[in-house]
Amino acid sequence: MSTNHTSADHTNNTRREKLRISDLHAFYGESHILHGIDLSIGQGELVTLLGRNGAGRSTTLKAIMNMVGRRSGSIVINGTETINMAAHKIAHLGMGFCPEERGIFSSLNVEENLMLPPAVRSDGVSVDEIYEMFPNLYERRFSQGTRLSGGEQQMLALARILRTGANILLLDEITEGLAPVIVQKLAEVLMQLKARGLTILLVEQNFRFAAPIADRHYVMEHGHIVEEVHAHELIEKTELLNTYLGV
Amino acid sequence: MKISKLSIVLLGVALVAPFVMYPVLLMKILCFALFASAFNLLLGFVGLLSFGHAIFLGTGGYVTGYLVMNSGLSPLLGILAGTAAAAALGAVYGKLSVKREGIYFAMVTLALAQLMFFVFLQAPFTGGENGLQGIPRGFLFGFIDLSDNLNMYYFVLAIFLFGFWVINRTIHSPFGQVLKAIRENEPRATSLGYNVNDYKWAAFVISAALSGLAGSTKTLVFQLASLTDVHWHMSGEVVLMTLVGGMGTIFGPLVGAAAIVGLQNFLSGGELGNYVHIIMGLIFIVCVLAFRSGIVGEIQKIVKRNFS
Amino acid sequence: MAEFLGINLFGLFGQLLVGLINGSFYALLSLGLAIIFGLLKIINFAQGAIYMLGAFLAYLALQYLGISYWAALIVVPLVVGLLGILMERFLIRPIANEDHLYSLLLTFGVALVLQGLFTHLFGSSGMSYPIPEAFSGGIKLPFMYLPNYRAWIVVASLVVCVGTWWMIEKTKLGAYLRAGTENPALMQAFGINVPLMVTLTFGFGVALAGFAGVMAAPVYSVSPDMGSNLLIVVFAIVVIGGMGSIGGAIITGLGMGIVEGLTKYFYPEASNTVIFLVMVIVLLIKPAGLFGKEA
Amino acid sequence: MSADYVLETQNLIKEFKGFTAVDDVSLKIQRGHIHALIGPNGAGKTTVFNLLTKFLTPTSGRILYNGHDITSLQSAAIARKGVVRSFQISAVFPHLSVLENVRIALQRKEGNSFHFWKSEKVLDKLNDRAVELLESVGLGNFAGAKTVDLSYGHKRALEIATTLALEPELMLLDEPTQGMGHEDVDVVADLIKKVSKDRTILMVEHNLHVVSKLADQITVLQRGAILTEGDYETVSADPRVQEAYLGVAVEENGA
Amino acid sequence: SLSDDKVKIGVLADMGGVYADICGKGCVTAVEMAVEDFGGTVLGKPIEIVSADDQNKPDVGSAIVRKWIENEQVDVITGLVASSVTGAVTQVTTDAKKIALIAASASNAFTTKQCSPYNAHWTYNVVALANGTVKPIVQSGKKKWFFITADYAFGHALEGIATKVIESEGGEVVGAVRAPLGTTDFSSYILQAQASGAEVVGLANAGADFVNSLKTAAEFGLTEMMDVAGLLVFTPNAQALDPAIAGGMLTTTGFYWDRDEESREWSARFKARHGAIPAMPHAGAYSATMHYLNAVKAAGTDESDAVMKIMKSTKPDDFFAKNATLRADGRMVHDMYLVKITKASERKSADDIFAIQSVIPGDQAFAPMLPECDFK
Ligand SMILES: Nc1ncnc2c1ncn2[C@@H]1O[C@H](COP(=O)(O)OP(=O)(O)OP(=O)(O)O)[C@@H](O)[C@H]1O
Ligand SMILES: Nc1ncnc2c1ncn2[C@@H]1O[C@H](COP(=O)(O)OP(=O)(O)OP(=O)(O)O)[C@@H](O)[C@H]1O
Ligand SMILES: [Mg+2]
Ligand SMILES: [Mg+2]
């Protein structure tokens, strides 16, 4: 087995590697969605997955959490191989996952939703801090989770995993449906988290949101990673990104 | 078209069958095939599992039996009356139940049927546990003697074909298109301006009426109307027939009815009679676990896989 | 004295109390159903058969192993719960992703098999189980003679019902359960072993029916069809209470027992149908049930 | 003058258990406009939509459509009058063909939807019109395809074609471009522009790019109440809107 | 001459339902014993037995019998337990002119309202039960009765006839409740009985209903306040009950295994094959079959009219049928027995359930023949 990936080497030199994926394949029933993904993220990095609708970005996140039908290859989290690990054990390695469809529970109220995921580490964001960050949630804390507006649900989904103390975050389209003010605020929040040393893998459609805060970008197409772009290369590779993403 | 060729072959078989097999058994199969097809109209094509459908079968039977016996109605009028009664009950029960969906709908229909079961058990005109016995088959159009099994058979076959035609036509009608749309995406159908509950209700009434038709006919065949036909076990049996045959397919309920009635007939004769409930239960389990498309559904899959 | 407006008050009180006793069984059974439904979205049609199984196990345990009522009260629910766990694991889980109607049909099949099996093995004339020594005799109330065992039924089932309700509505475990049924994949991703939780919940719901079966053995004849008719009444109760509402199931169970008792007093002919009539009325006025949330 | 307005709400209020989600909203939507409803998350935009289409019942207030009070009508009846909404999540009939999807909508006006005794062949006369509609949204080549197999953008287009089949006077679009890639956003925006001929459109949208490009008139909601109204220039220049909704960096989003 | 070179007997019974212990496989066993004891052939031709489960459903039973007769050349039907099934079946047999030997049903309709020249109602009926049990109790001075009645045809008939008996003996019925078949909880009915001020509570029900109602009566102390009479108690039901509850109760039966040497001998053979002592329908099924086969032999044919004629003109006489005749209306009139359920202290073995109190001669037990049912 070769570990001779340039990107991995590059990051290994600078920071501790938190997540390394090699030759990841994922399937939903008969359909083969991911065709050998390789990527690596170091501690404190914020990396995005870009691509068009259906490129397989969400699937990559779900595959990491073992939420797809079948997967093969290697996923090493914090030095632990997880490809054969049961889904419910993965979170306890410090993973926090915020799904695309938000996954707010209608049988629980806002506060119960917030308190639901078991803490995986001790140093999560406190509830007070969260309510300060998202005053809407505080105001609506006793209403049924799914009665929140679309955007409020998005906030809740994110807040929920911040509370658990997860230090590797997988965030899927978190700016979707949010008002521009909130989007700006989220960018600040992510920068703060990064500063706390959290590792973030971000799936984004909103390139303007992602560009200023990310360290690196992976571009996906048809279940492959077709390009890796570092923050400092953004200007020179604008053309390339345009052809991939149609920005 | 393939289907119509198949239909002609089946019709041919149905015409000569009574010379080969015991006609009363064949009539029973036809009645249940009609019942299961009517049930399947709801389950397979609207997605509503009515767990109390026997009540419509039995209502048709009781009303026909009572009128033929006590008011000397001709068999045809008796059957019409029974069908109308089932449709009327279906109209009321449909109004109450189509508001609910999925499993809720199943529970509500079951409980409503049980309510009516007790009415039939206690009402003075149904003969309670005895049921209505010795109902005369009478004369069709005043001169065809239905007490002759062969005459009766062709009469039943004609009724079955009529009912089956109605169901098919319903599925492939403008109304059927709307039903399909509702099953696919109910909120969207509403937003296009369809009152989905009205459509479900109409389908429910059609299904109830045809179940009543099956029950009325069955009553004349066996000259008997009894609690068996309104008991929830019967509601379970029709689900089983549809499941075994293949829900949502045209011929599935027919095949399922033949299979289950045939099996019961086989079991009731022999030593295995004791095991009839256990065997039915096991079939249920096996079908659900491994065989959800039913006989016809599985055949369709094989045909699709190999020939297209 | 005991007459008021031409009504025999003693008779009325008696019927109310008897209604409460029956209501305790309704509450236990509908609670089990509501837990399984509310948390797993499965209608367990086998719940009645499992109640029967509980009673039979208590009977067999006493007959052949000399296990006392008290021991049976613990052991039988455990055994039944274990069977429920096996049932969930090997029958229900394989179809967990299919339409929930299939699980209804599957459990219907299980009910037929269980009932058929016991009829085959033990006939259907019924076995009798003695009332435990500790509860022989009764209390003389002014309006009736209340057998001690019947009083115990009310107390025991109230304790079990309230305890269960508290556990599900008021604890973190309950929140996990509710969330886990809504979106199991996400709960797994949060680090919770959902399949295990589902299995245990099913086992618990089933064990409640087993418990009710043991409770019933001394007062009702232990027979293979003791559960099947009761079950449909309990279904109606669950619909009235609002499907999936735990508290609703308990309150409605007790309430319907009392309504039935009153009907037996005022118009016995309708005692079979009154619960279904109530159901129709509730459906007309509040389709989601008395305690149900609108979808 | 009121004839100019397709839809008017008068003092619309919706309360949820003591929480006022829509607070005294009086909207006037001018015939032929594309009218956008924007505002921070939880401002009550979706709730307004739900009230207009009767998915929710207003606590108080009136809704006038073409001058007639429709406050007490049922959802389906409102749809039949010509107020049709699209859904946020793809609202198609997945296992019908693309053509059939449109035909279901066309069929409603035929008045034969309860005719269970007729053959469905009577619907074939609607095919031409259906194909026409599909072509108008660029789906002409997909008529025979199964709808599940369509891509996300195509599904959205189909949904719009289906909605158009009802010949709505007023179309309500809730975040029509949400979750789309940039390419699709433009396609859909163009489509909306195209179909806005001869009809009125009310839309909720967070993508300011789309709003600025399409909207003739904008209403900004905040905490359930109307904050301000006007065209894009006026509204985006309003400091209150900048603070509550746009954030500071308005310019960046405009492009 | 035999119709098809054999005599074929169809045994229709409840193989798995509430009456399975009363006339299920046991009835098949009894008929088999009769055929074997008869020698296995009649007029040189084989005797065959077919059996089926009617599940206590009239439609199932009548369909089976119809098929047997129309399709499988069955000559005679026996077993027949649930009255509802028997009613439906005798319609079919009468139409087809085949004999029905009713071994286990209680209703008296088959020799009254629904009488037919082809019915032979063998073991007992509701009239005999009411006459046998109720009359002596009323005569002993307990005149105020309350009934807990099974709410279907059988219970109604039993209550009706018992009421007539009570009234004709100068007693009075102070009330009655109708409990649905299969009621699990009798407590509210018991409370009503308690409040009625009656001296005797008559249980006009059977099987599990009987067992449940009696148990509940004991639990609520009813058995200490008033007498309880079970109008139809089969040995398996009595065996299922705690003797402390049931002991001492009077009831009427058409047969008891421990009556005399003859009955003990047959019952021992039956128990060896079946595993339990015979209930009265088992003995009745044997006796009826035997009488039928004897008649076929004597008639030299299996043609129903000829056979029936001989059955009615010769007196049945075996370990079951004492002082018996098959009347023209098809009623088999024979000695019935008033028995007391034994207390635990009196039981010598698990099978020692009844103690015969008195013999009720057939003409006192059964009602006289109706003129319209005289099929001489
Ligand atoms: N549960 C599923 N079953 C089958 N196929 C699926 C499933 N989920 C996703 N797919 C398919 O997998 C492919 C990748 O989907 P994915 O959701 O990962 O895309 P994405 O890049 O996140 O795009 P989007 O912008 O739509 O979220 C798509 O073709 C999609 O149709
Ligand atoms: N059924 C309900 N019960 C209780 N509160 C509700 C209900 N529906 C909406 N709300 C509340 O009303 C407010 C407005 O919700 P609405 O969905 O209209 O917001 P929105 O403007 O569409 O926001 P977004 O842009 O985030 O979708 C929110 O705070 C929400 O929590
Ligand atoms: Mg995605
Ligand atoms: Mg919204």
Side-chain angles (χ1 to χ4, degrees):
Chain A
M1 247 231 216
S2 146
T3 49
N4 191 15
H5 302 291
T6 46
S7 61
D9 290 344
H10 173 84
T11 44
N12 270 345
N13 292 340
T14 51
R15 340 175 183 232
R16 197 154 62 82
E17 188 173 53
K18 295 294 279 186
L19 176 68
R20 181 164 48 78
I21 298 176
S22 16
D23 195 28
L24 176 64
H25 291 256
F27 306 80
Y28 286 115
E30 303 277 288
S31 49
H32 190 169
I33 308 291
L34 299 184
H35 304 265
I37 303 286
D38 297 286
L39 61 80
S40 160
I41 309 177
Q43 156 127 41
E45 253 197 316
L46 195 162
V47 173
T48 71
L49 278 179
L50 303 173
R52 296 185 181 177
N53 286 122
R57 297 163 302 150
S58 301
T59 306
T60 306
L61 298 195
K62 286 192 192 160
I64 296 172
M65 297 309 294
N66 195 0
M67 295 167 79
V68 291
R70 190 157 63 77
R71 51 183 200 160
S72 69
S74 159
I75 301 172
V76 178
I77 300 172
N78 258 339
T80 313
E81 174 60 69
T82 64
I83 197 77
N84 293 316
M85 195 179 260
H88 64 271
K89 298 210 172 117
I90 293 174
H92 295 285
L93 299 172
M95 305 294 285
F97 173 56
C98 180
E100 188 170 20
E101 68 289 343
R102 298 162 189 156
I104 301 304
F105 296 100
S106 68
S107 53
L108 306 180
N109 69 24
V110 172
E111 192 153 286
E112 282 171 322
N113 263 289
L114 186 60
M115 305 306 288
L116 184 73
V120 294
R121 286 161 45 92
S122 55
D123 56 351
V125 181
S126 77
V127 176
D128 291 339
E129 265 180 281
I130 282 173
Y131 281 145
E132 205 174 302
M133 229 182 261
F134 304 109
N136 284 36
L137 296 184
Y138 179 72
E139 202 177 318
R140 315 285 304 130
R141 66 192 180 284
F142 297 124
S143 55
Q144 190 189 330
T146 45
R147 293 265 156 95
L148 289 182
S149 82
E152 289 164 343
Q153 291 189 29
Q154 186 66 66
M155 300 171 199
L156 178 56
L158 180 63
R160 189 166 59 180
I161 57 161
L162 296 182
R163 215 208 89 248
T164 65
N167 57 5
I168 307 176
L169 305 184
L170 308 179
L171 309 179
D172 200 347
E173 312 259 7
I174 49 167
T175 61
E176 180 143 346
L178 292 186
V181 240
I182 310 275
V183 174
Q184 283 166 24
K185 183 137 141 227
L186 270 187
E188 289 160 25
V189 169
L190 289 192
M191 291 309 289
Q192 279 170 25
L193 293 174
K194 209 164 103 85
R196 283 192 188 201
L198 269 68
T199 309
I200 299 170
L201 179 56
L202 183 68
V203 166
E204 252 318 320
Q205 201 72 260
N206 186 344
F207 184 65
R208 281 192 193 82
F209 167 74
I213 58 175
D215 300 311
R216 271 185 302 131
H217 308 272
Y218 287 104
V219 182
M220 285 190 74
E221 202 167 77
H222 302 307
H224 298 272
I225 290 194
V226 290
E227 193 61 50
E228 184 186 345
V229 182
H230 284 260
H232 56 83
E233 303 170 319
L234 268 183
I235 315 285
E236 57 197 84
K237 293 204 175 168
T238 309
E239 269 312 295
L240 187 71
L241 283 175
N242 251 336
T243 56
Y244 281 126
L245 306 175
V247 179
Chain B
M1 245 176 80
K2 246 197 235 146
I3 291 284
S4 58
K5 245 186 225 155
L6 182 61
S7 308
I8 290 169
V9 173
L10 285 177
L11 186 62
V13 171
L15 286 173
V16 299
F19 298 100
V20 193
M21 271 171 78
Y22 178 45
V24 176
L25 179 65
L26 289 172
M27 290 189 264
K28 186 171 179 187
I29 291 177
L30 286 177
C31 292
F32 277 106
L34 177 56
F35 180 33
S37 300
F39 171 79
N40 185 44
L41 176 65
L42 268 191
L43 176 59
F45 295 93
V46 196
L48 294 174
L49 171 61
S50 161
F51 221 99
H53 234 53
I55 207 67
F56 304 115
L57 180 83
T59 301
Y62 272 120
V63 171
T64 303
Y66 185 81
L67 291 177
V68 168
M69 233 169 36
N70 295 305
S71 2
L73 232 54
S74 75
L76 209 53
L77 282 179
I79 287 179
L80 273 179
T83 308
L89 184 69
V92 176
Y93 277 15
K95 267 277 173 280
L96 286 169
S97 52
V98 295
K99 289 182 194 160
R100 317 269 29 213
E101 276 164 34
I103 297 180
Y104 296 81
F105 178 83
M107 306 267 287
V108 170
T109 46
L110 173 62
L112 285 173
Q114 195 70 358
L115 171 66
M116 204 59 200
F117 171 83
F118 283 113
V119 172
F120 280 127
L121 177 64
Q122 286 170 308
F125 70 92
T126 58
E129 298 283 316
N130 291 340
L132 302 171
Q133 301 176 346
I135 298 162
R137 282 184 185 172
F139 291 82
L140 182 60
F141 309 124
F143 68 96
I144 301 172
D145 182 4
L146 292 180
S147 64
D148 179 81
N149 270 343
L150 222 50
N151 290 347
M152 187 71 198
Y153 174 80
Y154 288 111
F155 179 49
V156 174
L157 182 62
I159 291 174
F160 168 77
L161 289 174
F162 167 75
F164 197 64
W165 175 81
V166 170
I167 290 167
N168 268 306
R169 185 24 76 86
T170 304
I171 293 167
H172 298 292
S173 69
F175 176 67
Q177 276 289 313
V178 180
L179 290 182
K180 228 183 193 174
I182 290 173
R183 192 180 52 163
E184 291 273 304
N185 189 340
E186 197 173 317
R188 182 55 172 160
T190 306
S191 76
L192 292 181
Y194 290 106
N195 270 325
V196 296
N197 283 350
D198 290 356
Y199 287 85
K200 287 181 181 175
W201 175 78
F204 194 93
V205 176
I206 294 173
S207 172
L210 290 172
S211 304
L213 177 64
S216 297
T217 313
K218 177 169 171 285
T219 285
L220 285 188
V221 171
F222 288 97
Q223 305 181 270
L224 186 114
S226 76
L227 289 172
T228 309
D229 289 352
V230 287
H231 196 269
W232 58 273
H233 269 163
M234 180 61 79
S235 299
E237 263 171 41
V238 72
V239 181
L240 185 58
M241 289 172 189
T242 311
L243 191 65
V244 166
M247 61 169 98
T249 63
I250 304 279
F251 288 106
L254 229 155
V255 173
I260 298 297
V261 172
L263 180 74
Q264 282 172 340
N265 183 56
F266 170 72
L267 291 177
S268 75
E271 265 302 290
L272 287 169
N274 278 307
Y275 295 92
V276 77
H277 286 296
I278 305 182
I279 292 173
M280 293 287 161
L282 288 176
I283 297 177
F284 250 112
I285 295 174
V286 169
C287 276
V288 169
L289 283 180
F291 203 53
R292 278 183 294 278
S293 338
I295 298 172
V296 171
E298 294 291 340
I299 291 175
Q300 280 177 355
K301 268 195 217 162
I302 292 170
V303 169
K304 220 181 230 165
R305 214 174 293 141
N306 297 334
F307 303 98
S308 64
Chain C
M1 28 163 269
E3 292 274 332
F4 179 69
L5 296 176
I7 296 168
N8 177 340
L9 283 184
F10 284 180
L12 185 61
F13 284 137
Q15 297 298 355
L16 280 177
L17 192 57
V18 163
L20 190 66
I21 296 164
N22 282 329
S24 305
F25 281 105
Y26 290 154
L28 273 179
L29 286 175
S30 57
L31 175 66
L33 270 183
I35 289 179
I36 293 177
F37 177 80
L39 301 175
L40 314 184
K41 296 289 174 278
I42 294 171
I43 295 276
N44 184 16
F45 221 106
Q47 196 80 349
I50 284 162
Y51 161 77
M52 176 274 290
L53 183 68
F56 258 100
L57 288 181
Y59 168 80
L60 295 173
L62 183 70
Q63 281 292 304
Y64 298 106
L65 306 174
I67 293 178
S68 76
Y69 172 83
W70 294 106
L73 215 46
I74 310 283
V75 173
V76 169
L78 285 179
V79 171
V80 168
L82 195 69
L83 287 176
I85 285 173
L86 294 177
M87 181 173 156
E88 197 282 335
R89 183 66 193 73
F90 294 106
L91 296 179
I92 292 176
R93 192 178 301 174
I95 54 164
N97 294 325
E98 305 292 331
D99 193 316
H100 291 303
L101 293 176
Y102 285 111
S103 55
L104 171 72
L105 299 181
L106 183 95
T107 53
F108 181 74
V110 171
L112 285 182
V113 171
L114 277 178
Q115 196 178 331
L117 194 68
F118 275 82
T119 310
H120 181 66
L121 293 176
F122 298 99
S124 44
S125 46
M127 315 286 173
S128 83
Y129 189 100
I131 289 181
E133 280 302 321
F135 292 120
S136 58
I139 312 156
K140 250 194 121 38
L141 302 175
F143 52 94
M144 73 179 283
Y145 177 83
L146 175 65
N148 284 332
Y149 187 76
R150 303 262 170 173
W152 158 245
I153 290 175
V154 177
V155 172
S157 76
L158 273 180
V159 167
V160 169
C161 284
V162 171
T164 307
W165 172 84
W166 181 82
M167 186 182 82
I168 288 174
E169 297 291 339
K170 298 290 163 200
T171 65
K172 187 89 179 204
L173 177 67
Y176 284 169
L177 286 169
R178 282 176 281 154
T181 56
E182 244 184 83
N183 190 343
L186 185 58
M187 284 302 279
Q188 295 256 74
F190 286 161
I192 287 161
N193 190 344
V194 175
L196 179 69
M197 209 172 70
V198 164
T199 307
L200 292 178
T201 308
F202 190 84
F204 180 73
V206 159
L208 277 179
F211 177 77
V214 183
M215 294 290 289
V219 284
Y220 305 147
S221 152
V222 178
S223 76
D225 45 7
M226 66 191 287
S228 59
N229 294 321
L230 190 58
L231 182 70
I232 300 185
V233 175
V234 174
F235 277 166
I237 289 173
V238 174
V239 171
I240 293 170
M243 304 252 293
S245 159
I246 308 281
I250 299 170
I251 295 171
T252 319
L254 291 171
M256 286 302 113
I258 290 172
V259 167
E260 209 180 42
L262 288 177
T263 319
K264 277 180 180 155
Y265 183 75
F266 287 109
Y267 188 60
E269 286 78 4
S271 59
N272 268 324
T273 40
V274 63
I275 291 182
F276 299 109
L277 281 175
V278 171
M279 184 195 79
V280 169
I281 294 166
V282 168
L283 279 181
L284 283 174
I285 298 169
K286 201 161 178 294
L290 294 178
F291 301 89
K293 294 189 192 105
E294 285 294 342
Chain D
M1 276 315 275
S2 73
D4 265 342
Y5 298 116
V6 180
L7 190 91
E8 262 184 79
T9 68
Q10 299 178 342
N11 310 97
L12 210 52
I13 294 181
K14 177 67 190 176
E15 285 174 8
F16 296 111
K17 290 203 187 115
F19 172 81
T20 312
V22 173
D23 192 0
D24 201 18
V25 167
S26 299
L27 269 181
K28 284 185 161 80
I29 296 165
Q30 199 174 328
R31 195 180 305 283
H33 269 182
I34 296 182
H35 192 129
L37 205 52
I38 64 171
N41 297 110
K45 306 177 294 289
T46 303
T47 310
V48 168
F49 264 41
N50 285 336
L51 293 174
L52 294 181
T53 49
K54 256 327 192 32
F55 279 71
L56 288 174
T57 312
T59 311
S60 69
R62 294 210 306 159
I63 304 169
L64 299 181
Y65 175 61
N66 284 331
H68 301 288
D69 190 339
I70 59 163
T71 321
S72 57
L73 293 185
Q74 297 283 313
S75 331
I78 290 176
R80 282 196 292 273
K81 284 203 171 275
V83 181
V84 183
R85 104 182 255 183
S86 77
F87 282 81
Q88 252 164 301
I89 24 151
S90 86
V92 289
F93 303 113
H95 297 285
L96 299 185
S97 75
V98 170
L99 183 81
E100 280 171 328
N101 259 274
V102 179
R103 222 170 53 176
I104 285 288
L106 290 171
Q107 185 189 339
R108 212 205 64 224
K109 281 200 296 281
E110 290 289 295
N112 60 8
S113 296
F114 276 107
H115 294 186
F116 63 87
W117 55 88
K118 281 191 187 147
S119 165
E120 62 194 349
K121 295 211 176 64
V122 301
L123 298 176
D124 285 348
K125 63 171 189 278
L126 302 175
N127 287 358
D128 289 346
R129 174 77 186 122
V131 170
E132 212 175 283
L133 283 164
L134 286 175
E135 274 164 359
S136 77
V137 298
L139 286 179
N141 293 330
F142 291 88
K146 247 212 163 117
T147 308
V148 257
D149 300 333
L150 292 189
S151 72
Y152 188 72
H154 283 156
K155 278 185 193 151
R156 295 308 298 231
L158 172 60
E159 206 193 318
I160 290 173
T162 313
T163 309
L164 289 175
L166 301 177
E167 292 174 14
E169 249 190 287
L170 175 61
M171 268 172 92
L172 306 178
L173 306 176
D174 195 355
E175 305 199 31
T177 66
Q178 184 181 335
M180 283 189 187
H182 296 267
E183 260 176 331
D184 284 335
V185 168
D186 288 334
V187 170
V188 171
D190 290 342
L191 195 56
I192 292 172
K193 185 85 205 162
K194 186 166 156 201
V195 304
S196 69
K197 267 200 302 151
D198 319 322
R199 55 177 54 85
T200 315
I201 292 177
L202 176 64
M203 60 190 257
V204 169
E205 183 58 71
H206 281 300
N207 189 325
L208 287 179
H209 171 65
V210 175
V211 172
S212 65
K213 186 162 148 188
L214 294 181
D216 300 306
Q217 176 79 357
I218 296 173
T219 300
V220 186
L221 284 185
Q222 191 196 11
R223 301 186 146 266
I226 294 179
L227 182 68
T228 180
E229 287 185 288
D231 61 13
Y232 185 74
E233 270 66 46
T234 332
V235 165
S236 60
D238 187 324
R240 288 173 307 166
V241 177
Q242 290 188 353
E243 192 205 318
Y245 182 64
L246 299 174
V248 274
V250 189
E251 299 316 315
E252 254 178 60
N253 285 298
Chain E
S1 68
L2 296 181
S3 52
D4 50 349
D5 278 343
K6 62 187 170 214
V7 167
K8 203 162 178 182
I9 304 172
V11 185
L12 187 71
D14 172 16
M15 302 300 181
V18 279
Y19 302 128
D21 302 339
I22 291 157
C23 185
K25 291 206 190 73
C27 273
V28 181
T29 305
V31 172
E32 281 167 5
M33 285 171 67
V35 170
E36 284 164 26
D37 291 355
F38 189 80
T41 61
V42 61
L43 304 173
K45 306 290 183 195
I47 306 167
E48 281 182 21
I49 300 172
V50 287
S51 65
D53 182 5
D54 60 32
Q55 299 166 36
N56 294 327
K57 293 177 186 163
D59 56 327
V60 173
S62 75
I64 289 169
V65 168
R66 196 185 275 275
K67 187 178 71 170
W68 276 348
I69 294 173
E70 290 178 355
N71 216 28
E72 295 176 18
Q73 293 82 40
V74 167
D75 298 296
V76 62
I77 309 291
T78 188
L80 297 176
V81 51
S83 293
S84 54
V85 175
T86 308
V89 166
T90 52
Q91 304 264 4
V92 177
T93 50
T94 302
D95 280 353
K97 297 193 173 28
K98 297 290 175 191
I99 294 173
L101 305 168
I102 304 163
S105 294
S107 166
N108 61 339
F110 315 118
T111 54
T112 55
K113 274 180 296 194
Q114 297 175 31
C115 62
S116 145
Y118 301 99
N119 286 354
H121 193 173
W122 216 260
T123 313
Y124 70 103
N125 68 12
V126 284
V127 179
L129 297 175
N131 281 333
T133 312
V134 176
K135 205 184 266 177
I137 299 177
V138 185
Q139 283 168 349
S140 78
K142 307 239 156 116
K143 296 206 183 286
K144 285 163 91 180
W145 284 65
F146 184 91
F147 281 104
I148 294 178
T149 304
D151 194 9
Y152 62 103
F154 151 76
H156 300 173
L158 197 50
E159 184 196 319
I161 291 163
T163 303
K164 268 189 215 139
V165 173
I166 291 164
E167 284 167 358
S168 71
E169 295 294 326
E172 117 181 79
V173 176
V174 296
V177 279
R178 303 265 165 101
L181 179 65
T183 294
T184 43
D185 178 46
F186 281 89
S187 42
S188 66
Y189 306 115
I190 298 294
L191 287 185
Q192 292 181 42
Q194 257 168 354
S196 69
E199 292 164 298
V200 186
V201 176
L203 301 177
N205 51 20
D209 282 350
F210 165 75
V211 172
N212 285 340
S213 54
L214 186 60
K215 261 182 82 175
T216 313
E219 195 190 349
F220 280 82
L222 183 79
T223 41
E224 275 148 41
M225 294 166 59
M226 22 187 116
D227 282 5
V228 180
L231 297 191
L232 176 51
V233 185
F234 293 100
T235 39
N237 304 140
Q239 237 169 346
L241 278 163
D242 185 349
I245 293 171
M249 178 188 276
L250 289 177
T251 189
T252 301
T253 182
F255 174 77
Y256 181 56
W257 70 272
D258 199 13
R259 185 196 59 207
D260 57 19
E261 206 39 58
E262 220 182 340
S263 65
R264 277 191 287 273
E265 184 271 330
W266 185 84
S267 300
R269 283 202 290 137
F270 180 86
K271 186 176 177 182
R273 286 175 74 141
H274 182 65
I277 51 164
M280 61 171 156
H282 299 135
Y286 178 97
S287 169
T289 309
M290 209 56 160
H291 192 61
Y292 170 83
L293 291 174
N294 280 321
V296 171
K297 189 168 158 195
T301 173
D302 60 2
E303 196 273 314
S304 297
D305 293 303
V307 174
M308 200 52 151
K309 195 161 181 177
I310 296 188
M311 286 176 73
K312 286 177 179 170
S313 61
T314 52
K315 289 188 184 306
D317 185 21
D318 53 33
F319 75 94
F320 168 83
K322 294 295 170 201
N323 305 316
T325 49
L326 182 61
R327 277 192 328 216
D329 61 351
R331 178 66 252 165
M332 213 288 268
V333 176
H334 64 111
D335 284 354
M336 298 287 291
Y337 307 93
L338 181 66
V339 298
K340 196 162 86 182
I341 300 176
T342 49
K343 300 209 166 84
S345 59
E346 299 161 350
R347 292 196 180 175
K348 291 191 279 296
S349 73
D351 292 336
D352 189 6
I353 296 159
F354 289 162
I356 296 179
Q357 303 295 297
S358 62
V359 176
I360 309 158
D363 52 355
Q364 286 176 35
F366 295 95
M369 182 163 70
L370 298 177
E372 66 269 29
C373 292
D374 185 354
F375 301 109
K376 224 356 177 254

